[in-house]
Amino acid sequence: KKIIFSGIQPSGALTLGNYLGALKNWVNLQEENDCYFCVVDQHAITVPQEAKNLRKNTLEVLALYIACGIDPEKSSLFIQSHVSAHAELSWVLNTMTYMGQLNRMTQYKEKSEKSEANLNAGLFTYPVLMAADILLYQTDAVPVGDDQKQHIELARDLAERFNSRYSETFKVPEPMISKFGSRIMSLQEPTKKMSKSDSDANAFILLLDDADTIKRKIKRAVTDSIGVVSYNDEQLGVKNLMTIYSKLSGESIESIQNKYEGKGYGVFKEDLAEVVAEGLRPVREKAEYLLKNKDQLELVYTKGAEKAEKVARKTLRKVYKKIGFIERK
Ligand code: TYM
């Protein structure tokens, strides 16, 4: 039995990328493991958020966890700001992280190049908070999309540094990134990853998009002039669409390639739209139901935080003792 930890930021509605790269893979893990799935609201405020939206998005992410098949009876679902140990350990780890390490984080580099006006210290030390999230639970594995690999590397590095400076305290976590479909690309610019913060709404599909919206976005998805449904790096748009098709339907790439041999992109896209719309329909319906029954969500995050708090406190207590903080009597 392994300990699994992962989280998603409530910085907007979740995309098909979040689902295929992360959420969908979590569901199977909960049968055999001890899983913690967190809504990381403290990470979300590293970019400006309206309080009202943050509240709405936080509950929405939680509802989507459950709607995608995460069972609150099996896994601990909670909200990051409810367990104060995350912020506390994050401070300690901040004092052990080199500026150079954070400077090398590609996600920070990209974000800081985009908008100088929004640069704040939280955005810079964001990966340290993520390391705290993971290390507090003595996590074995972190199921994420490809873009989080470097952040998990930092968590490993900090665990090792602390363990060697003091004594064995943290388990060193492993990233768990699927070989196929761990980076879903933008429907408009298939060299960029699909992101909820993209200014072009046609670039992403949201888990709560209705069937008509999904069909329209897929119809408009960028392809090429080659006109053959084939999986290769010369046709990145088509490659991405085939990946989505395969991930959602369970059909192999080879079988999809054969199925659409001699047919154009029109037919392929129409079928894909059907696969996506039908695949997401139950998720959307369940999430909409839960969002109308907020009491149920409240029970879930309350119970989740209680369980998480106990485990997290235990690790934090050890850390405080080792670094020389006097225990409050
Ligand atoms: P976030 O909120 O950006 O994304 C949540 C998860 O979705 C994955 N993902 C994708 N996978 C494939 N294709 C895409 N286009 C795509 N876009 C997003 C991400 O890899 C991620 O798994 N820092 C994290 C949140 C976090 C976290 C943690 C994760 C905070 N603490 C501790 C794991 C463990 C983030 O910003 O993810």
Side-chain angles (χ1 to χ4, degrees):
K1 195 165 167 180
K2 289 191 166 167
I3 300 175
I4 308 286
F5 184 99
S6 200
I8 299 184
Q9 292 193 67
S11 53
L14 297 198
T15 69
L16 191 59
N18 295 132
Y19 180 60
L20 297 180
L23 208 35
K24 193 168 182 285
N25 306 324
W26 300 356
V27 178
N28 298 327
L29 289 168
Q30 45 178 0
E31 304 304 328
E32 312 240 302
N33 304 289
D34 195 2
C35 295
Y36 296 86
F37 298 120
C38 184
V39 185
V40 292
D41 53 351
Q42 290 171 315
H43 277 106
I45 62 165
T46 54
V47 298
Q49 301 285 345
E50 288 237 31
K52 175 163 91 5
N53 289 338
L54 183 58
R55 268 192 292 272
K56 175 173 164 284
N57 290 333
T58 300
L59 290 181
E60 204 171 282
V61 173
L62 187 72
L64 280 167
Y65 282 3
I66 301 168
C68 289
I70 308 292
D71 180 351
E73 298 293 323
K74 294 182 183 145
S75 303
S76 305
L77 306 186
F78 69 104
I79 297 170
Q80 189 183 30
S81 63
H82 289 181
V83 180
S84 61
H86 290 244
E88 293 174 76
L89 179 61
S90 176
W91 177 253
V92 174
L93 296 177
N94 260 315
T95 66
M96 301 183 66
T97 309
Y98 305 126
M99 299 290 280
Q101 280 187 294
L102 295 179
N103 263 325
R104 283 193 294 275
M105 292 287 147
T106 50
Q107 204 160 70
Y108 170 75
K109 273 198 261 182
E110 279 165 21
K111 280 187 188 164
S112 59
E113 275 160 18
K114 244 191 271 170
S115 60
E116 234 170 74
N118 286 336
L119 278 194
N120 63 75
L123 198 63
F124 188 61
T125 61
Y126 169 119
V128 181
L129 178 59
M130 177 161 163
D133 296 342
I134 297 168
L135 299 182
L136 276 173
Y137 299 90
Q138 305 297 344
T139 302
D140 292 288
V142 190
V144 285
D146 170 73
D147 60 338
Q148 297 301 316
K149 199 169 169 187
Q150 200 186 21
H151 293 157
I152 297 173
E153 239 0 276
L154 178 76
R156 289 172 56 84
D157 200 71
L158 289 172
E160 280 163 359
R161 190 171 304 154
F162 192 99
N163 289 348
S164 73
R165 196 175 291 180
Y166 300 97
S167 60
E168 198 61 30
T169 309
F170 294 122
K171 200 175 281 168
V172 181
E174 298 284 343
M176 192 185 254
I177 300 170
S178 55
K179 284 214 178 70
F180 175 65
S182 63
R183 193 175 178 83
I184 301 298
M185 310 309 277
S186 153
L187 299 182
Q188 289 301 313
E189 284 175 78
T191 50
K192 268 188 6 190
K193 75 164 183 185
M194 182 183 284
S195 160
K196 52 197 165 203
S197 57
D198 202 307
S199 56
D200 181 357
N202 285 321
F204 51 75
I205 288 171
L206 299 179
L207 297 187
L208 295 177
D209 276 346
D210 59 37
D212 285 343
T213 309
I214 292 173
K215 284 176 190 160
R216 192 182 37 152
K217 287 180 177 177
I218 289 181
K219 205 166 171 185
R220 290 189 187 165
V222 166
T223 50
D224 52 63
S225 55
I226 297 173
V228 178
V229 179
S230 158
Y231 191 84
N232 65 74
D233 287 340
E234 304 298 306
Q235 298 174 264
L236 288 178
V238 173
K239 183 180 175 188
N240 187 42
L241 296 179
M242 290 177 81
T243 304
I244 295 171
Y245 195 126
S246 170
K247 277 277 222 183
L248 274 175
S249 66
E251 253 179 83
S252 71
I253 290 291
E254 206 185 358
S255 138
I256 296 168
Q257 209 156 282
N258 292 336
K259 196 159 151 187
Y260 294 98
E261 207 183 313
K263 296 184 184 148
Y265 294 151
V267 184
F268 169 63
K269 278 183 165 181
E270 232 166 81
D271 289 358
L272 172 62
E274 199 63 26
V275 166
V276 178
E278 286 315 307
L280 295 184
R281 183 187 301 280
V283 171
R284 190 180 78 234
E285 287 174 355
K286 177 107 202 259
E288 280 169 355
Y289 168 80
L290 287 165
L291 287 166
K292 284 190 203 117
N293 293 273
K294 297 233 166 68
D295 302 2
Q296 228 167 302
L297 292 176
E298 201 177 300
L299 281 176
V300 169
Y301 68 63
T302 306
K303 199 179 128 219
E306 270 167 24
K307 159 114 195 271
E309 172 103 62
K310 280 201 195 99
V311 179
R313 273 286 141 203
K314 193 169 157 207
T315 302
L316 189 69
R317 219 177 294 124
K318 273 194 214 160
V319 167
Y320 277 6
K321 196 166 170 193
K322 292 193 186 188
I323 57 183
F325 287 175
I326 290 177
E327 202 179 344
R328 183 175 152 188
K329 295 291 174 195

